[in-house]
Amino acid sequence: MMEEAGRHAVFIWSAYGATTLIALGLVIRAVLDHRAQRRALARLEAAGAVPPGRKAARG
Amino acid sequence: MLTRLANPATFMRVSGYALPPLATAAALLAAYGLYLAFLASPADYQQGETVRIMYIHVPAAWLSLFFYSIMTVSALGTLVWRHPLADVSQRAAAPIGAAFTLVCLVTGSLWGKPMWGTYWVWDARLTSVLVLFLMYCGILTLWRALDDPGRAARAVAILTLVGAVNVPIVKFSVEWWSTLHQGASVFRIGGPLIDPAMLRPLFCMALAFTCFGLALHLAGMRTEILRRRVRTLTLLQAERLERAAA
């Protein structure tokens, strides 16, 4: 059990801490990047930009 | 199936359904895996409590190779089959693979200090994993360096295929050379050398890491598809404005 981790506890907790930080970093990066692209797409569509396919269908 | 998913609109719809269950499975498996790792498994007779680092180090090592393999297949998809989602998949996989490799290196060092007396040795396994990490960094840098997405996709695909030589080197380094790093103890002829009480948290965490990695990969691919839509619309908008001004 972990109460017996003793002198190695610092290595164990550092390993789990570093893994958590890297995993959180991946998730935060993914969420922020996705939001940024959605916002950019919404801005372009609001400005009247339409994908080529849709344009052709309307034309 | 692959042909149907080649349509980005279909992919966005299907991945939208797959993402929540994958993320939920990753969270539940990680919670159960942590319970097994810290509360329901014994200390190792040689490694003591540091064996608990193995429950994240080993899955991270497996996934670092798994994501490079995804990138290799995607690179073939870009160069040979010209699959429209191959480059998207490769681009989404690279940062995830790099992160798992970093986790593998950091946790391995933190296990090495109490067990080997050092954070690092230039042993074949450790060095080949460091080369894998540098390959991931090189691929991510190359993408940023090239403006033209088509050229970047081809250049990155070629670099990825060159780097794929390192995957079997990482895997078999412990057999080909005399290394301080121990040999295979899970997937080996004759069965695993690890006690079932330790295999359970290991496999549970490996499944959690796999679901987490795949969820991030799908999310990354969705974002990449949006990024390409934004780029196309920006170019069309610029052309429209240019025509209007002329």
Side-chain angles (χ1 to χ4, degrees):
Chain A
M1 295 300 163
M2 280 314 292
E3 53 269 25
E4 293 150 23
R7 63 202 171 97
H8 294 151
V10 66
F11 296 104
I12 300 166
W13 292 120
S14 300
Y16 276 84
T19 305
T20 308
L21 277 181
I22 293 169
L24 272 178
L26 275 176
V27 172
I28 291 169
R29 178 189 164 277
V31 170
L32 291 181
D33 194 14
H34 191 77
R35 277 190 193 162
Q37 297 311 318
R38 284 199 88 95
R39 267 202 305 272
L41 196 61
R43 222 177 15 248
L44 280 162
E45 282 176 349
V50 280
R54 232 185 284 168
K55 203 174 180 180
R58 277 182 192 171
Chain B
M1 177 74 174
L2 270 180
T3 321
R4 253 192 305 145
L5 282 179
N7 179 337
T10 312
F11 175 82
M12 289 295 268
R13 202 177 55 249
V14 173
S15 62
Y17 289 122
L19 203 47
L22 257 180
T24 310
L28 292 175
L29 282 164
Y32 187 54
L34 286 172
Y35 162 74
L36 290 177
F38 282 103
L39 300 168
S41 65
D44 183 70
Y45 80 104
Q46 273 184 324
Q47 303 173 52
E49 295 291 339
T50 58
V51 71
R52 300 183 204 285
I53 296 177
M54 289 296 116
Y55 304 138
I56 44 175
H57 171 73
V58 177
W62 287 344
L63 284 168
S64 65
L65 292 178
F66 175 68
F67 273 95
Y68 203 91
S69 305
I70 288 183
M71 285 178 57
T72 305
V73 174
S74 302
L76 284 173
T78 300
L79 292 174
V80 181
W81 304 298
R82 296 183 191 278
H83 194 288
L85 288 181
D87 179 46
V88 170
S89 159
Q90 203 184 346
R91 194 151 189 166
I96 306 166
F100 279 125
T101 315
L102 183 63
V103 167
C104 173
L105 287 168
V106 170
T107 55
S109 286
L110 287 165
W111 180 88
K113 182 64 181 166
M115 290 299 105
W116 293 340
T118 178
Y119 286 108
W120 185 262
V121 284
W122 292 102
D123 146 290
R125 170 58 71 83
L126 276 72
T127 308
S128 56
V129 173
L130 179 64
V131 170
L132 181 69
F133 181 64
L134 294 176
M135 281 303 303
Y136 274 122
C137 293
I139 285 164
L140 287 166
T141 309
L142 187 58
W143 252 312
R144 284 175 182 272
L146 297 174
D147 279 337
D148 175 15
R151 245 183 86 212
R154 282 189 297 278
V156 166
I158 291 166
L159 181 62
T160 304
L161 290 179
V162 172
V165 174
N166 190 40
V167 172
I169 294 177
V170 172
K171 172 82 182 98
F172 297 109
S173 54
V174 287
E175 292 171 28
W176 292 343
W177 292 284
S178 168
T179 56
L180 185 57
H181 193 285
Q182 60 268 47
S185 49
V186 180
F187 297 113
R188 56 185 288 284
I189 300 164
L193 292 171
I194 302 174
D195 189 87
M198 291 168 183
L199 269 182
R200 274 190 291 272
L202 183 64
F203 280 133
C204 193
M205 290 300 272
L207 265 177
F209 274 40
T210 307
C211 290
F212 177 64
L214 289 176
L216 280 173
H217 189 221
L218 281 185
M221 285 179 74
R222 290 168 63 80
T223 305
E224 194 52 38
I225 289 170
L226 287 184
R227 195 187 328 278
R228 282 160 200 226
R229 272 188 203 161
V230 168
R231 184 182 156 82
T232 308
L233 287 184
T234 308
L235 289 174
L236 285 172
Q237 186 80 332
E239 265 175 33
R240 208 173 60 132
L241 290 173
E242 212 170 275
R243 268 201 309 272

